[in-house]
Amino acid sequence: MIGYVTIGVSDMSRAKAFYSELLGDIGARVLLNMGRIAFIGESMKAPMLAVCTPYDGEPNQPGNGNMVAIHPGSKEAVDAHYKRALELGASCDGEPGQRIPDQFYGAYVRDLDGNKLAFFHFG
């Protein structure tokens, strides 16, 4: 149902490097680079993450209540992606843990521009 989610960034080179490194182990890479916007994912036929500098030329601002949730495949992968995000310069917004018993495991970070990301696994 979702084709792609776009988040605003202040530095395209930095954002492409961050997300390519963070999500490369689950098959993501820059698929389409159009200057002020780049699409990152496994294929153009699967859901993607787009990073862009705002069209209006104003500074990017993370949305209050907005979040991109990424499913890396297991609880262990949630932990690994959380750790890798911090190594790449992200900040903690909620350490990995079981949020809902036997239903939802998650971890939260803020990327280099303050955008909120969740890594999650159901179960």
Side-chain angles (χ1 to χ4, degrees), residues 32-56:
L32 182 60
N33 187 2
M34 301 169 57
R36 61 166 284 282
I37 188 168
F39 294 84
I40 301 164
E42 294 178 73
S43 87
M44 297 297 288
K45 294 181 180 184
M48 295 173 284
L49 173 66
V51 294
C52 74
T53 55
Y55 182 77
D56 64 6

Side-chain angles (χ1 to χ4, degrees), residues 12-99:
M12 285 296 293
S13 295
R14 184 178 76 160
K16 289 184 290 187
F18 176 84
Y19 283 104
S20 293
E21 180 67 27
L22 179 62
L23 304 176
D25 69 321
I26 56 174
R29 65 188 191 290
V30 175
L31 299 170
L32 182 60
N33 187 2
M34 301 169 57
R36 61 166 284 282
I37 188 168
F39 294 84
I40 301 164
E42 294 178 73
S43 87
M44 297 297 288
K45 294 181 180 184
M48 295 173 284
L49 173 66
V51 294
C52 74
T53 55
Y55 182 77
D56 64 6
E58 296 295 320
N60 68 294
Q61 296 182 12
N64 185 21
N66 296 343
M67 179 176 69
V68 175
I70 299 166
H71 182 251
S74 68
K75 291 179 182 180
E76 295 78 19
V78 167
D79 294 349
H81 281 81
Y82 168 83
K83 181 181 174 189
R84 186 65 181 137
L86 296 182
E87 291 169 356
L88 293 168
S91 61
C92 174
D93 212 39
E95 294 183 357
Q98 195 72 43
R99 303 289 192 241

